[in-house]
Amino acid sequence: MPKMIVTDIHERLVVCYMMATRQLTKLSDTFFHIIRLHTRKPHNSANHFNGYRAYAQTEIADIITQLKKMCAVLNLSFSETCELADKRDKEKEAEFKKKYPNDAWV
């Protein structure tokens, strides 16, 4: 089987993608802890929640960094990509509301 990662751009894309998925995994762990907070004794649960929130913010920031790097590797504008994301979200919301008029868009 021939090597798949043979160029610098391939290497950079793979590294950015792997780092982003690593951060997503850490973020999902944080959400797991937030969701499970109600199963703990109430002692310091507000402090735990605030700590998990702060940690989630760092993971989200790291994911955004990797997405910016992916855009740079692909020579795409990050700000235009964010604008496209907003536009696509609105389009998907409209489609969803048409299909499920009584459900809330999340």
Side-chain angles (χ1 to χ4, degrees):
M1 179 175 193
K3 283 186 159 186
M4 291 182 65
I5 302 172
V6 293
T7 68
D8 183 52
I9 192 171
H10 297 163
E11 175 76 14
R12 293 186 329 204
L13 285 172
V14 168
V15 169
C16 289
Y17 179 77
M18 289 172 54
M19 294 298 291
T21 56
R22 182 174 176 235
Q23 302 310 138
L24 280 169
T25 301
K26 290 181 178 182
L27 185 60
S28 69
D29 287 345
T30 305
F31 291 163
F32 175 79
H33 290 298
I34 289 171
I35 292 164
R36 298 281 314 264
L37 270 176
H38 76 279
T39 66
R40 291 185 171 183
K41 294 179 183 175
H43 177 69
N44 279 336
S45 64
N47 287 338
H48 286 292
F49 177 71
N50 288 333
Y52 290 131
R53 268 186 63 230
Y55 187 75
Q57 187 175 30
T58 65
E59 295 307 317
I60 292 168
D62 291 345
I63 293 164
I64 292 169
T65 297
Q66 293 306 318
L67 295 175
K68 279 184 177 179
K69 289 180 179 186
M70 284 181 212
C71 285
V73 171
L74 295 169
N75 197 26
L76 298 170
S77 165
F78 182 73
S79 61
E80 286 177 13
T81 304
C82 290
E83 289 171 17
L84 179 60
D86 290 336
K87 181 181 175 185
R88 287 178 54 81
D89 184 53
K90 288 175 183 159
E91 289 170 355
K92 290 178 181 184
E93 179 182 10
E95 288 176 24
F96 178 86
K97 286 183 174 180
K98 191 187 292 185
K99 192 172 183 179
Y100 306 101
N102 298 321
D103 291 345
W105 176 248
V106 214

